[in-house]
Amino acid sequence: MEIWVLGALGRTGRGITAELTAKGLPVVLVGRHRERLEATGAKFVVADGVEAMAAEIRRQRPAVVVNTIGEYAATAATIARACLPGGHYVDLAADLVAVPRLLDLHEEALAGGSTFVTGAGFGVLATEAVVAKLCEGRETPSRVRVDALASVAVEAGAVGVALAASIVDVLTTGGRRYEDGRLTPARLGAEPQTHTLPDGETAKSAGVPSGELVAAQRASGAPSVTVMSGLAPTSPAVRALLPLLGRVVSIPLVRRFAVRQLARVTTKAAPRPRAHSWGHAVVTWPDGTTREGWLRAGEGMDFTTAVVAEVAARLARGEGKPGAHTPASALGADVAEAAGGTFVL
Ligand SMILES: NC(=O)c1ccc[n+]([C@@H]2O[C@H](COP(=O)([O-])OP(=O)(O)OC[C@H]3O[C@@H](n4cnc5c(N)ncnc54)[C@H](OP(=O)(O)O)[C@@H]3O)[C@@H](O)[C@H]2O)c1
């Protein structure tokens, strides 16, 4: 019944490990620094790199693997496949390359009786859960717009390679939206909007290519879907530069350089800008009916940590639908409430 946390000494890995331990679940820390792992006093496995981690998973067969090592587009499939047959897998991917790539393993996961969950975190779950609630028991809508409005406290320290790579990958993908059922290019930072939130505060969002798009499309079946994020730049000057920046960092050498430089950037600690993080969805049906809903959560990173721990705990109990899914698709929209969210519909 062991739950392995890969990258357990990293930012999210530490929080997820603490939550799982608080739930009384048997956690094993997996990382590449023996002394630092030993110092935690917890059970651990030393594995330096993706292939070594996959080999240990195949040898020791944990019930659930939580992958926090990042670079998901390149490495998640290797780790997830190592869980087959019967083992379950969770990651925190949120970009439009990694999320579909993991979902493409659906048939393999089904055949192996495993559940693979990608997109376990604030953005994907907080938006797909609202879409699922709004669409429950209704016909397929024609249009969906979702906004992921995270309120995140900044930890002091370096950005780190995993997070830096995720940010650079958003730039290289460029904007995307579903139009007539097809994934089509859109402008990065499109349709900037200021929202008045249910608690009276305000937040801005603009278009980004992110995993929320695929999750909202699958949860609704709608042919037209757009996704906006509070993390997207909304200033006109920065938005104007984004397409060019995206093309430049698409060059592999420049990408590696950009990731290295960004990873070294240090941030000062700062409190979350607003009391709550919000997932938001507006769903429109062919007859013109529109429904709007929200999911209120606390600090964005805390919610992400709670989501991953809740998903892992449920998978360990064998509650996941076999196949490759996003969190609400594997376990139902109520997993967002179990992780501390509240629907405002
Ligand atoms: N979806 C969401 O809402 C959400 C939220 C937060 C984070 N994330 C994503 O989650 C990932 C982790 O973020 P983080 O902030 O926790 O990053 P982090 O602090 O850099 O932690 C990553 C951990 O993985 C380990 N690692 C990285 N590459 C490895 C490799 N090839 N082999 C073995 N270990 C490796 C690192 O080990 P070392 O200590 O040895 O370097 C570190 O312990 C990122 O991709 C980030 O974008 C998603």
Side-chain angles (χ1 to χ4, degrees):
M1 288 303 290
E2 279 179 353
I3 300 177
W4 283 21
V5 180
L6 314 188
L9 298 175
R11 206 168 359 210
T12 49
R14 290 193 306 270
I16 292 161
T17 302
E19 287 248 1
L20 289 169
T21 306
K23 285 179 188 281
L25 292 161
V27 186
V28 176
L29 282 54
V30 184
R32 45 191 173 186
H33 306 287
R34 177 176 296 279
E35 301 81 62
R36 283 169 58 202
L37 288 163
E38 251 164 15
T40 64
K43 189 168 179 190
F44 67 87
V45 169
V46 182
D48 188 356
V50 174
E51 293 300 334
M53 285 176 173
E56 283 300 326
I57 293 165
R58 279 191 293 268
R59 201 167 67 80
Q60 301 198 42
R61 311 238 38 92
V64 181
V65 169
V66 177
N67 180 3
T68 79
I69 70 172
E71 296 269 20
Y72 294 117
T75 61
T78 303
I79 304 282
R81 283 191 172 118
C83 300
L84 294 169
H88 308 302
Y89 169 89
V90 192
D91 72 35
L92 293 80
D95 67 85
L96 254 186
V97 182
V99 169
R101 218 166 257 183
L102 206 282
L103 294 174
D104 281 348
L105 303 183
H106 184 68
E107 295 302 327
E108 286 179 57
L110 259 185
S114 293
T115 306
F116 295 169
V117 178
T118 186
F122 170 76
V124 170
L125 180 59
T127 50
E128 69 165 347
V130 180
V131 173
K133 281 278 182 197
L134 293 174
C135 293
E136 222 166 44
R138 292 172 185 250
E139 62 172 303
T140 305
S142 47
R143 183 168 290 276
V144 169
R145 171 190 164 123
V146 295
D147 300 272
L149 305 167
S151 178
V152 178
V154 180
E155 246 185 48
V159 169
V161 174
L163 184 57
S166 305
I167 295 169
V168 170
D169 285 343
V170 165
L171 287 173
T172 54
T173 315
R176 289 285 185 280
R177 60 190 296 156
Y178 277 98
E179 214 48 77
D180 298 325
R182 284 197 319 272
L183 206 54
T184 52
R187 200 182 162 83
L188 255 183
E191 298 177 45
Q193 191 175 325
T194 302
H195 304 267
T196 301
L197 305 168
D199 62 3
E201 293 200 83
T202 57
K204 289 180 178 172
S205 70
V208 287
S210 72
E212 284 90 322
L213 189 61
V214 174
Q217 204 285 326
R218 289 162 59 102
S220 63
S224 296
V225 183
T226 50
V227 52
M228 310 286 150
S229 165
L231 301 177
T234 48
S235 100
V238 178
R239 287 173 53 233
L241 276 177
L242 288 175
L244 176 65
L245 204 57
R247 279 200 293 279
V248 174
V249 292
S250 299
I251 304 163
L253 207 66
V254 180
R255 179 189 182 275
R256 281 200 290 279
F257 177 77
V259 170
R260 264 203 317 275
Q261 293 303 310
L262 185 57
R264 285 198 199 119
V265 171
T266 53
T267 50
K268 283 192 193 146
R272 67 176 111 168
R274 297 185 309 276
H276 300 115
S277 298
W278 294 92
H280 176 228
V282 181
V283 180
T284 307
W285 279 267
D287 67 359
T289 310
T290 292
R291 297 184 76 204
E292 181 178 14
W294 301 83
L295 182 91
R296 184 180 66 230
E299 198 275 335
M301 255 340 162
D302 290 348
F303 183 71
T304 288
T305 303
V307 167
V308 179
E310 183 63 28
V311 168
R314 289 182 181 212
L315 293 186
R317 294 196 297 266
E319 294 172 11
K321 234 191 264 170
H325 301 274
T326 48
S329 142
L331 295 155
D334 78 296
V335 76
E337 285 177 311
T342 306
F343 288 105
V344 183
L345 298 173

